[in-house]
Amino acid sequence: MDIRPRARHLAVIVSAAVLGLFVTPAPAGAGGVSGLVEGPAHPVGAGNARTYVTVDEEGTPATIGVRLDAAALDDLPSALLPVTEAYVLELPEEAAATAFDHVTVDWNSHGHDPQHGFDVPHFDVHFYLLDRPTVESIHPFAPGYIPAAARVPDPRYIPEGYAPSGDPLTSTVAGMGLHWVDTTEAEHDPAAGHHLTETVLYGTWDGRQAFIEPMLSREWLATRPAHHEELRLPQAYQREGLYPTTYSVWWDEASQTYTVELGGLTMREAS
């Protein structure tokens, strides 16, 4: 999907409440969080979505996230049959030091994967570590697809407690990769009558770490939550860069926006 011409600006974070509750301080020695650099706005529903990076006084990224206007939850594509709409969001240049290449906000009108309780209208926010050409090349008809889909990373690259959503060959999603679900979250067990509110998935492709994905039901997001948690982390990383340690979702009354953020960005070496 085409992206509007790149346009960004630096804005000072003005909400002390948001800073105090949800912006994780930069790692020691990196300086204090001082500003917000935004990517270009992209239409979603009746509103817009945009990526952002908060940077410290030295320009080092401290958090990375997506902001959705209140109206982005309205007039979303819907039909009798399931509709999935992927909105590709460009990151600002200041995100280059992070491990992430781009972000997609995927709207699922009927949900998917009922065996995991994800069969409710929801957003998938993919923070991709792979570049767009690689992600777009994930297709069953592409040369080498079968061995690449079957290849999973060494366990040290996946957080403990996560497992593939199914057999890698049949569960790898075109244009995304293989999703890994948090098996400790019993509240998403449909057999117990529970369904998705929010969760975080990890993704892989061809033996590589591919994405980190907050998944949020529209119903839960519309409650204007204030959610913050520590991420479950892998033991090792395949590529050097700044990786998150926290995950937050909140509503900001002043700006009338929902924010989905990966915070506590910390430098990791490849191993």
Side-chain angles (χ1 to χ4, degrees), residues 53-68:
V53 179
T54 61
V55 296
D56 64 26
E57 295 172 351
E58 298 175 353
T60 302
T63 69
I64 188 170
V66 172
R67 286 187 166 181
L68 295 158

Side-chain angles (χ1 to χ4, degrees), residues 26 31 35 46-47 49 75 91 106 161 171 186 198 218 229 245:
D75 298 335
L91 287 167
D106 303 331
S171 298
E198 58 76 30
R218 185 195 178 283
E229 66 180 73
T245 58

Side-chain angles (χ1 to χ4, degrees), residues 124-143:
D124 298 331
V125 185
H126 290 86
F127 291 83
Y128 279 102
L129 287 75
L130 304 178
D131 60 29
R132 286 184 63 183
T134 299
V135 173
E136 292 168 358
S137 72
I138 301 173
H139 193 280
F141 297 146

Side-chain angles (χ1 to χ4, degrees), residues 1-65:
M1 184 171 295
D2 292 337
I3 298 297
R4 294 178 179 177
R6 182 185 293 266
R8 60 182 63 84
H9 65 275
L10 181 65
V12 176
I13 299 176
V14 296
S15 174
V18 171
L19 275 172
L21 288 174
F22 297 107
V23 176
T24 304
V33 174
S34 63
L36 180 81
V37 186
E38 294 186 320
H42 189 77
V44 174
N48 290 289
R50 55 177 56 80
T51 60
Y52 71 87
V53 179
T54 61
V55 296
D56 64 26
E57 295 172 351
E58 298 175 353
T60 302
T63 69
I64 188 170

Side-chain angles (χ1 to χ4, degrees), residues 10-268:
L10 181 65
V12 176
I13 299 176
V14 296
S15 174
V18 171
L19 275 172
L21 288 174
F22 297 107
V23 176
T24 304
V33 174
S34 63
L36 180 81
V37 186
E38 294 186 320
H42 189 77
V44 174
N48 290 289
R50 55 177 56 80
T51 60
Y52 71 87
V53 179
T54 61
V55 296
D56 64 26
E57 295 172 351
E58 298 175 353
T60 302
T63 69
I64 188 170
V66 172
R67 286 187 166 181
L68 295 158
D69 297 342
L73 270 62
D74 301 325
D75 298 335
L76 290 158
S78 183
L80 182 61
L81 296 176
V83 174
T84 298
E85 186 73 28
Y87 306 95
V88 182
L89 306 181
E90 191 174 356
L91 287 167
E93 290 180 355
E94 288 76 6
T98 74
F100 301 103
D101 180 82
H102 66 287
V103 178
T104 67
V105 174
D106 303 331
W107 163 246
N108 301 273
S109 66
H110 290 59
H112 51 75
D113 292 326
Q115 71 273 25
H116 298 299
F118 300 156
D119 53 342
V120 296
H122 69 264
F123 292 98
D124 298 331
V125 185
H126 290 86
F127 291 83
Y128 279 102
L129 287 75
L130 304 178
D131 60 29
R132 286 184 63 183
T134 299
V135 173
E136 292 168 358
S137 72
I138 301 173
H139 193 280
F141 297 146
Y145 175 84
I146 291 178
R151 191 175 298 118
V152 297
D154 185 274
R156 64 196 178 115
Y157 296 121
I158 302 295
E160 185 177 356
Y162 275 78
S165 59
D167 179 85
L169 277 179
T170 57
S171 298
T172 294
V173 180
M176 294 182 188
L178 177 64
H179 292 72
W180 295 65
V181 299
D182 188 346
T183 61
T184 68
E185 293 189 337
E187 64 269 25
H188 300 316
D189 179 9
H194 300 297
H195 292 273
L196 172 72
T197 53
E198 58 76 30
T199 190
V200 176
L201 291 79
Y202 280 76
T204 64
W205 166 249
D206 194 16
R208 289 177 285 173
Q209 297 165 322
F211 57 79
I212 300 175
E213 178 197 343
M215 181 187 288
L216 322 160
S217 79
R218 185 195 178 283
E219 181 180 13
W220 179 78
L221 197 57
T223 66
R224 301 182 174 182
H227 180 81
H228 178 79
E229 66 180 73
E230 302 292 319
L231 283 173
R232 306 265 293 284
L233 304 176
Q235 298 175 10
Y237 298 83
Q238 295 168 318
R239 184 165 61 90
E240 181 179 279
L242 291 166
Y243 289 83
T245 58
T246 65
Y247 149 67
S248 304
V249 182
W250 75 91
W251 164 259
D252 182 65
E253 187 68 27
S255 62
Q256 295 286 292
T257 56
Y258 300 94
T259 297
V260 182
E261 180 176 276
L262 301 181
L265 296 180
T266 303
M267 182 60 68
R268 308 293 190 184

